[in-house]
Structure formats: C-alpha cells, structure tokens
Amino acid sequence: MKSLDEIIKNRRSIRNYQPKSVEREKIMQVLEAARLAPSACNAQPWKFIVAESPDIKDAVVKEGLNNIAVPNKWAADAPVIIAVCSKTKFFVHNIAEKIQDVDYHLIDLGIACEHLVLKAEELGLGTCYIGWFRGREIKKVLNLPSSYKVECLITLGYAQPDSQKESPRKPLEEIAEFK
Ligand SMILES: Cc1cc2nc3c(=O)[nH]c(=O)nc-3n(C[C@H](O)[C@H](O)[C@H](O)COP(=O)(O)O)c2cc1C
C-alpha cells in the first residue's frame, strides 16, 4: 500500500493517456474520496459530472477546449473528463463569504478535487486539472442546470509510460514563515 507521502510526491499532471478505459469501480472510488472532503459549514457545494462516453467527451473537448488561450486539446486522449461544478451558493456561504471576504465554495471545491486526484494516484491513475476551458459551452454539452457553474475539469486515465514530468517547486523557506 502506498503511503500518503509517496502519493503526494509521485503525483504529476498527466497529459498523455493510454487508450484504455477506467474501471467504473475506480471512478466510484475517486468520487467517494471527493465526497468525504470537508467544506465550510459542511455545505458540500459541489457536483462532479463524469464524461466517459466517447460522444460526450469528444463534444466537451471540441466545444470546451478549443479556441482558448491555452489549448488543452491533449485532453481528447483522456478516457474520462470530470467537470467539477459549484452549485449556486448557499445562503450561509453567501453571508460568511461577505463577512470574511473569502470564496469558501472555491476552497471547498479545491479540497474535494485534491482528495479525488490523490485517490486517483493511489489507484495508479493519472489526472490533470484544466482551468482553461469554455464553461458555457461545456455546460451546454453536459446539459447542466443553470444553477451549476463549471469551475474546473479533471482528466482521468492511465498514464502513458514516461509521461510523468517533474515540475519544480519553490523551496520551503520561500513559502513558509514561522513567527
Ligand atoms: C487550478 C488548476 C488549473 C490548471 N489548469 C491547467 C490547464 O488548463 N492546462 C494544463 O495543461 N494544466 C493545468 N494545470 C496543471 C498545472 O499546470 C500543474 O499542476 C503545474 O504545472 C504543476 O505540475 P504538476 O501537477 O505535474 O506537479 C492546472 C492546475 C491547477 C491546480
């Protein structure tokens, strides 16, 4: 069994996938990891829309990932694309966000996404967040209600061998301070 340290250290953004579908059981496990994430006021303001059927997935790529500043066409090879959506904000979130000036629902979604991504790594699956996309077009393709907003996409699948490039990180002294 992989340790949490190994999972965190080995995870990389994967943009190169094997043409192999992801078992439904594994998709359910990564979604379950997201479901268990904490959230402000336990609002759980998320919805995960799993695009796995080739028609829908191709439409997401064609309509949502073309003609943008950062072309994410590589996502066409991912067997699964998960649209991570926020639901129209809850009253408690609205009040708390105004008082604190913090976007709690985005923090919540970020935590849930990372649960999902780390679980995928544990299961031997690769992922990549996609922040550059056409949200309105993706909403249309996925036929989502107006109360949903697509906040990011996550690709999921088996990585091609040697597709794991390490990205540098700032040293700890630069990002943390003790007072
Ligand atoms: C919110 C968010 C949005 C991102 N959007 C994109 C994207 O649109 N396209 C892409 O190829 N990678 C995207 N990435 C992946 C980052 O480029 C990547 O995490 C970063 O370069 C560090 O590399 P690593 O994940 O391999 O450690 C995104 C990551 C995050 C967290």
Side-chain angles (χ1 to χ4, degrees):
M1 201 166 135
K2 295 176 190 170
S3 71
L4 182 57
D5 255 7
E6 280 175 314
I7 292 166
I8 291 171
K9 281 188 182 146
N10 291 338
R11 184 216 55 82
R12 302 271 179 278
S13 289
I14 299 298
R15 300 180 182 86
N16 209 348
Y17 291 94
Q18 295 178 35
K20 176 180 171 186
S21 57
V22 180
E23 301 84 341
R24 177 59 66 89
E25 166 65 16
K26 291 193 176 174
I27 299 177
M28 296 307 284
Q29 286 186 65
V30 301
L31 293 172
E32 175 64 6
R35 188 182 76 85
L36 296 177
S39 58
C41 306
N42 202 21
Q44 304 162 66
W46 43 59
K47 272 278 181 179
F48 299 89
I49 313 298
V50 181
E52 58 171 359
S53 78
D55 287 1
I56 302 280
K57 212 176 48 70
D58 289 353
V60 167
V61 174
K62 184 164 171 264
E63 305 297 330
L65 298 175
N66 273 315
N67 301 319
I68 46 175
V70 177
N72 281 308
K73 289 184 201 156
W74 53 265
D77 291 338
V80 176
I81 300 178
I82 301 174
V84 182
C85 306
S86 57
K87 293 195 293 184
T88 296
K89 285 193 228 160
F90 291 84
F91 183 65
V92 275
H93 260 178
N94 275 332
I95 301 280
E97 288 193 355
K98 283 224 165 69
I99 294 171
Q100 285 293 124
D101 194 21
V102 173
D103 285 337
Y104 288 116
H105 72 289
L106 290 181
I107 296 178
D108 297 341
L109 256 66
I111 296 169
C113 285
E114 197 57 9
H115 272 207
L116 184 157
V117 160
L118 293 178
K119 185 67 189 179
E121 173 67 30
E122 188 196 31
L123 297 173
L125 291 163
T127 55
C128 188
Y129 288 97
I130 297 181
W132 287 92
F133 57 85
R134 292 176 176 276
R136 232 182 296 153
E137 281 72 5
I138 291 178
K139 230 173 124 167
K140 230 185 270 171
V141 167
L142 297 176
N143 199 18
L144 302 180
S146 58
S147 56
Y148 289 20
K149 179 165 182 254
V150 184
E151 304 284 6
C152 76
L153 305 174
I154 299 177
T155 54
L156 181 71
Y158 290 95
Q160 289 282 10
D162 305 325
S163 58
Q164 312 228 349
K165 244 183 25 206
E166 190 169 346
S167 301
R169 291 296 193 268
K170 295 175 183 172
L172 207 46
E173 311 83 76
E174 202 180 318
I175 62 157
E177 287 180 29
F178 292 86
K179 301 274 182 184

